[in-house]
Amino acid sequence: MWAVTGVVAVAAVALTVGVLHGRQSVAGQVVIPWWGLSIAYLLSGILVAHITVRNQAYTFTLSEVPMVLGLVAASPTALITGGFIGTALSLVLYRRQQPVKVIFNLATFLVEASVAIVVMQALLGGHTVGSSFGWLATLAGTVTSSALAQVVVLVIVVASAGALPIRQVARTLAFMLPASVLNTILGLSGLHVAGQDPQLAALLLIPCVVLAAAYRSYLSERQRHGQVRQLFEASGALHRSRGVDASIATMLSRARDMFNAEVAELILLPAVSPGEARRFTMGPGDGPVIATTEDAGDRGELALRQQAVVLGPGGPPGVLAARGWRDGIAVSVSADGGVNGALLIGNRRDTVSSFGRADLDLLEAFAGPASVSLANGRLEAKLEHQAFHDSLTGLANRALLAQRIQTALLHGPRDDFAVLLLDVDDFKTVNDTLGHPAGDQLLIEIAQRLSSCLEPADTAARLGGDEFAVMLRSTARVDDAVAVADRILAALRRPFNLAAWDVTVRGSIGVVIDNPSVASVDDLLSSADIAMYRAKAQGKDQCVVFEPLMHVEVLARHQLRADLERAVSGRELRVHYQPIVSLTTGEVIGAEALVRWAHPVRGMVGPDEFIPIAEESGLIVPLGRFVLDEACRQLSAWQRTLPSLHLSVNVSARQLQEPELVNDVAGIFARHGVNPNRLTLEVTEHVMVNDARAVDALRDLRSRGTKIAVDDFGTGYSSLSCLRDLPIDSLKIAKPFVDRLARSDDDRALATSVVGLAHSLRLDTVAEGIERPDQAEVLRAAGCRCGQGFLFSRALPAAEFLARFGSQKSTAPFLSLAG
Ligand code: C2E
Ligand code: CA
Ligand code: CA
């Protein structure tokens, strides 16, 4: 722009100097001084009308009027000096144009004035300016010079747009030339009248002003019409764009076109006040939208303005300077109802005009459809987000994880990754005992801890229930993946505070490293699953890396599940009995019924191996019923041989959810003619806490005479005081607690107080897993009434149990009973 302007300016000055050299004044009897022309030019510069058609701005003035005055009633020097000063003042003071535009417009003035002088004086020949021939010569001078001025403008258009908009030029000239003729006639008549009667000439100012006003309104009407059409088209385009990115691109490109600007920018502010703002810029030049993230900082100020503003001295400070823009306008846009963004448009493309009032109106009108489109785009993005994310935790869902793994698999060895599969072992218990809201809260907090262990490139997903997965992009090395898994396990170990309880959970993680043998997403996830199950089986709270051999094991587990189904319905389950003895007398007062599986191939399988599978598959319900039935049958068979024996049977949480449980149990007692008070049902303490249905079932059972024991007391998260209101008769103190006993005075004191508290709640106490006499002694000294453990006997088949403990044989020899 500067280059073209410079060339035009130099040419204009040269032309002017040439014209002024040796030109004589042709003025008649009225002579206007140079400053008079300055005033006239200043006025015509104020009474202007602009129009922007497509990318081009046109300015209409009454400049022919002062031009005529100068040609006819002043010297060429006075016309050029006076006109130059008047024009300069109007451009700088009134229209506040930038230097390049001021210079360009002044150069145009010089060309116009010089050409008018040359044409007019050449045609005039010997005639006087007052003659009708003189008038025609003046008219020719002004019209030629205005046409030439348009040519100069065209040079600029072609230079900046690189093309000649022929139809527009024709349209402009069709409007400009008649206007120019009209203005000239107006000026000439004014002069003529002034020659006759100067006061009457003053009256002529009125038609001049009216004419200027008419131009203005005509042009602004035309312009508004064009803008409405552009706005209409732009909203249509915005409406059609799908998704946030598309609507932002449309918004920016339309804004650039509409305001004939080089750059358009959208700033979206974060929902929370200190956060990162996102900035989308289009231009200068062609190219895609560039998105950047930055500190929100002072951008907030822009977005808070409801009305559009012109950027610059009057507007928000520093916005132009920060972007290196010459000029600009801004308006706030909203994406979700609230104000949270700003649309900025900068660097007007044409040289003659800058942003003004009309642009602000148009921009405000544009902000409406822009906001709607943005909001729609966001809504779509939200829906898409929903389709690929878990609504509870906000993590990716299975579909998104599968998609990402699939993409990485397609990329082959160039795109290495690892997958971790995490199962939260105690989630079901928390959900059953503390309720669903606490369960949900636990999942949310697990998701947060999980995410905090990862890099941004990694994907954390919730696959459903309590199963989570991670796709590690940051590393594909075994050591690193295991390190991440260990970090996750460590994060889970910290207690979770849920519904006023401190709950601890343990995770089991399976790790799979991407390798050429992985064929599909399912393949990969099932390998991770296998490794995860191995971690679980090895005692939880650990991670296991998948190895191909593990497949064999999985098959075995599947087999086991199928076998178990057969076992439960067939005759493979056995019940063994482990004695419960009095710690004071050594007398066997009862036994716990423990299930065994006589597997046709694998031999005797322990419950730790298949109870979890039975619980998972629901087989625990028929299994539990079988054990209870078998125990009752045994009890009634021992009616004579072991008349005072008491039996304990384990009941799992799942069974207590069965509505038919109470009736089932009553039916079993009735069938075998067993008195319910000779039976204790053992339930883990997890079940007791906050699971209203289970507690109701237990209360019901207890009201019919059955005793209830809390199994594994001391390993969970209940306290003695919360047991006060529960329907229970005894506590079974868990083995880990017993293991610690003999170690220190502290542990001993603890044992004493636990037993004491239990007694104060009128609860009987049975210590489990006693393996050494000293443990038994400490427990006895603490006041614990009964004990159970390998010290006395393992669980035995019914016949063996009878052989050893029938007819009340005492276990006293195992106890080093004091007294
Ligand atoms: P539990 O109810 O805590 O049963 C006690 C377990 O500790 C039994 O293991 C028993 O053999 C073992 N044990 C007893 N004394 C000692 C000892 O001094 N040292 C050691 N190391 N272990 C000892 P078992 O029979 O393998 O049963 C394991 C678990 O399986 C039981 O733990 C119980 O939770 C479950 N279970 C067994 N039978 C049934 C059943 O019929 N129904 C249900 N729902 N669960 C059952
Ligand atoms: Ca038990
Ligand atoms: Ca137990």
Side-chain angles (χ1 to χ4, degrees):
M1 219 42 76
W2 274 106
V4 179
T5 305
V7 171
V8 172
V10 170
V13 171
L15 182 66
T16 311
V17 172
V19 167
L20 285 184
H21 190 74
R23 274 297 152 190
Q24 292 300 307
S25 172
V26 293
Q29 77 257 53
V30 184
V31 176
I32 303 175
W34 66 267
W35 51 266
L37 289 169
S38 289
I39 294 172
Y41 264 100
L42 181 59
L43 283 176
S44 90
I46 290 171
L47 296 170
V48 293
H50 304 290
I51 180 170
T52 306
V53 179
R54 289 282 160 197
N55 282 353
Q56 210 41 63
Y58 301 99
T59 307
F60 291 90
T61 68
L62 289 171
S63 64
E64 286 86 355
V65 176
M67 176 80 79
V68 169
L69 301 183
L71 287 175
V72 176
S75 68
T77 325
L79 169 58
I80 286 180
T81 349
F84 190 88
I85 292 171
T87 306
L89 288 177
S90 79
L91 293 177
V92 174
L93 297 183
Y94 178 71
R95 285 167 62 190
R96 298 178 182 281
Q97 285 192 340
Q98 279 132 15
V100 68
K101 292 187 183 178
V102 172
I103 292 173
F104 175 77
N105 284 330
L106 286 175
T108 313
F109 162 76
L110 290 180
V111 172
E112 263 184 295
S114 315
V115 168
I117 292 168
V118 170
V119 171
M120 188 251 201
Q121 291 196 0
L123 289 179
L124 196 58
H127 303 79
T128 61
V129 283
S131 66
S132 36
F133 195 83
W135 289 32
L136 283 175
T138 312
L139 187 61
T142 55
V143 171
T144 321
S145 74
S146 337
L148 201 76
Q150 292 309 307
V151 171
V152 176
V153 171
L154 277 181
V155 170
I156 288 282
V157 174
V158 174
S160 67
L164 188 68
I166 303 227
R167 274 185 54 207
Q168 266 172 54
V169 174
R171 232 190 287 148
T172 310
L173 287 180
F175 183 81
M176 289 294 283
L177 292 179
S180 171
V181 171
L182 208 67
N183 288 345
T184 309
I185 292 171
L186 202 63
L188 286 171
S189 342
L191 266 180
H192 183 68
V193 173
Q196 313 290 313
D197 179 354
Q199 268 154 28
L200 198 61
L203 267 184
L204 265 182
L205 265 179
I206 296 171
C208 277
V209 170
V210 170
L211 195 63
Y215 276 173
R216 254 186 200 231
S217 69
Y218 167 77
L219 290 174
S220 68
E221 203 46 52
R222 222 179 101 159
Q223 173 139 14
R224 202 160 300 142
H225 184 77
Q227 287 178 343
V228 167
R229 205 197 58 233
Q230 269 185 306
L231 196 60
F232 181 74
E233 284 173 7
S235 7
L238 282 170
H239 189 72
R240 283 188 300 274
S241 50
R242 290 273 154 266
V244 186
D245 293 345
S247 57
I248 289 175
T250 310
M251 182 189 311
L252 296 180
S253 80
R254 289 287 170 162
R256 273 199 329 166
D257 286 354
M258 206 147 69
F259 294 97
N260 188 25
E262 287 172 5
V263 200
E265 180 182 307
L266 174 73
I267 297 173
L268 288 183
L269 292 165
V272 281
S273 47
E276 288 189 322
R278 286 186 303 150
R279 187 212 283 230
F280 304 87
T281 318
M282 184 181 264
D286 302 327
V289 174
I290 294 169
T292 52
T293 306
E294 59 194 77
D295 203 56
D298 65 321
R299 317 258 173 269
E301 204 211 330
L302 274 176
L304 287 176
R305 293 165 184 259
Q306 287 285 1
Q307 286 175 337
V309 285
V310 175
L311 301 172
V319 178
L320 289 184
R323 290 166 177 73
W325 289 359
R326 295 191 298 274
D327 50 4
I329 42 178
V331 72
S332 66
V333 289
S334 61
D336 289 322
V339 176
N340 56 6
L343 176 63
L344 290 81
I345 292 151
N347 285 1
R348 193 58 163 249
R349 266 200 209 112
D350 66 67
T351 44
V352 268
S353 70
S354 181
F355 297 106
R357 184 64 246 166
D359 295 305
L360 295 185
D361 290 343
L362 183 61
L363 186 58
E364 272 171 24
F366 181 66
S371 299
V372 170
S373 155
L374 209 56
N376 282 344
R378 282 210 170 177
L379 185 67
E380 267 167 52
K382 242 181 238 164
L383 291 178
E384 190 180 300
H385 185 272
Q386 262 169 29
F388 284 104
H389 290 82
D390 171 46
S391 58
L392 180 66
T393 60
L395 298 185
N397 64 11
R398 184 182 282 272
L400 182 56
L401 184 82
Q403 203 180 63
R404 299 216 168 137
I405 294 176
Q406 183 65 43
T407 314
L409 285 177
L410 288 176
H411 283 172
R414 285 177 294 119
D415 204 354
D416 282 348
F417 62 95
V419 169
L420 313 184
L421 196 70
L422 163 72
D423 188 88
V424 182
D425 291 317
D426 307 289
F427 171 72
K428 278 194 187 66
T429 323
V430 171
N431 217 31
D432 290 349
T433 57
L434 297 182
H436 287 294
D440 286 354
Q441 188 56 35
L442 177 62
L443 291 174
I444 291 169
E445 288 184 26
I446 289 173
Q448 284 164 355
R449 292 192 191 177
L450 183 64
S451 303
S452 71
C453 300
L454 305 178
E455 301 284 324
D458 304 335
T459 303
R462 179 171 167 228
L463 303 185
D466 52 1
E467 216 176 48
F468 295 84
V470 172
M471 181 185 185
L472 287 182
R473 307 303 307 260
S474 43
T475 178
R477 289 186 41 224
V478 179
D479 300 356
D480 294 338
V482 167
V484 174
D486 285 341
R487 268 211 305 278
I488 294 171
L489 292 171
L492 291 183
R493 248 170 251 141
R494 283 182 283 124
F496 293 84
N497 188 268
L498 301 172
W501 299 95
D502 270 343
V503 175
T504 47
V505 300
R506 287 163 305 171
S508 305
I509 295 183
V511 180
V512 190
I513 306 295
D514 176 31
N515 63 72
S517 74
V518 175
S520 70
V521 178
D522 282 348
D523 221 29
L524 196 92
L525 285 179
S526 76
S527 300
D529 203 48
I530 292 165
M532 188 269 288
Y533 261 96
R534 168 69 79 92
K536 230 178 201 196
Q538 289 180 356
K540 308 178 178 180
D541 194 22
Q542 54 187 288
C543 85
V544 167
V545 180
F546 175 78
E547 283 155 26
L549 261 182
M550 291 180 183
H551 268 300
V552 180
E553 217 176 287
V554 175
L555 290 180
R557 207 175 62 229
H558 277 299
Q559 189 61 44
L560 201 64
R561 181 171 301 187
D563 286 3
L564 187 62
E565 223 169 309
R566 193 195 59 219
V568 171
S569 55
R571 307 183 163 278
E572 294 173 23
L573 293 182
R574 305 274 181 276
V575 178
H576 286 189
Y577 301 88
Q578 185 178 34
I580 295 174
V581 308
S582 158
L583 288 179
T584 41
T585 64
E587 195 186 339
V588 174
I589 52 175
E592 179 175 359
L594 294 161
V595 71
R596 299 288 179 266
W597 180 5
H599 193 279
V601 183
R602 300 173 57 182
M604 207 59 92
V605 183
D608 282 337
E609 247 183 279
F610 63 87
I611 292 289
I613 296 176
E615 277 177 340
E616 237 175 67
S617 58
L619 280 171
I620 192 72
V621 174
L623 183 147
R625 195 184 296 127
F626 164 82
V627 174
L628 185 66
D629 188 76
E630 176 59 20
C632 287
R633 193 193 62 76
Q634 197 59 61
L635 203 58
S636 93
W638 281 336
Q639 198 72 50
R640 265 185 321 102
T641 42
L642 290 162
S644 60
L645 193 80
H646 194 98
L647 277 190
S648 291
V649 175
N650 294 286
V651 175
S652 87
R654 181 71 168 66
Q655 285 173 272
L656 289 167
Q657 301 296 325
E658 287 292 301
E660 283 306 298
L661 178 78
V662 179
N663 286 337
D664 267 6
V665 172
I668 291 170
F669 288 155
R671 182 144 30 112
H672 299 290
V674 166
N675 185 344
N677 66 18
R678 290 186 65 194
L679 243 118
T680 295
L681 300 182
E682 295 188 2
V683 185
T684 57
E685 57 180 326
H686 293 194
V687 175
M688 296 285 197
V689 186
N690 272 3
D691 186 346
R693 180 189 252 187
V695 172
D696 280 351
L698 291 173
R699 191 163 278 136
D700 211 348
L701 287 166
R702 191 161 173 263
S703 71
R704 294 165 190 229
T706 314
K707 303 252 182 304
I708 310 291
V710 175
D711 204 354
D712 300 340
F713 182 81
T715 56
Y717 43 88
S718 58
S719 64
L720 272 172
S721 59
C722 83
L723 298 174
R724 184 171 297 147
D725 303 323
L726 294 172
I728 49 178
D729 302 275
S730 58
L731 296 184
K732 294 196 79 174
I733 298 169
K735 182 171 188 296
F737 199 85
V738 171
D739 287 343
R740 281 206 308 269
L741 270 187
R743 258 190 255 146
S744 71
D745 291 346
D746 271 2
D747 287 336
R748 247 193 309 277
L750 187 64
T752 315
S753 57
V754 167
V755 173
L757 262 167
H759 287 168
S760 78
L761 293 171
R762 298 214 183 78
L763 298 177
D764 202 359
T765 43
V766 182
E768 291 186 295
I770 302 174
E771 291 180 344
R772 298 189 315 270
D774 58 310
Q775 291 170 327
E777 171 51 27
V778 172
L779 285 159
R780 193 198 59 79
C784 182
R785 201 173 68 90
C786 301
Q788 179 184 353
F790 293 172
L791 172 65
F792 311 109
S793 166
R794 292 176 181 266
L796 304 169
E800 250 176 82
F801 185 89
L802 182 67
R804 284 208 29 209
F805 305 111
S807 58
Q808 295 304 310
K809 278 178 198 139
S810 174
T811 58
F814 299 109
L815 292 164
S816 54
L817 291 175

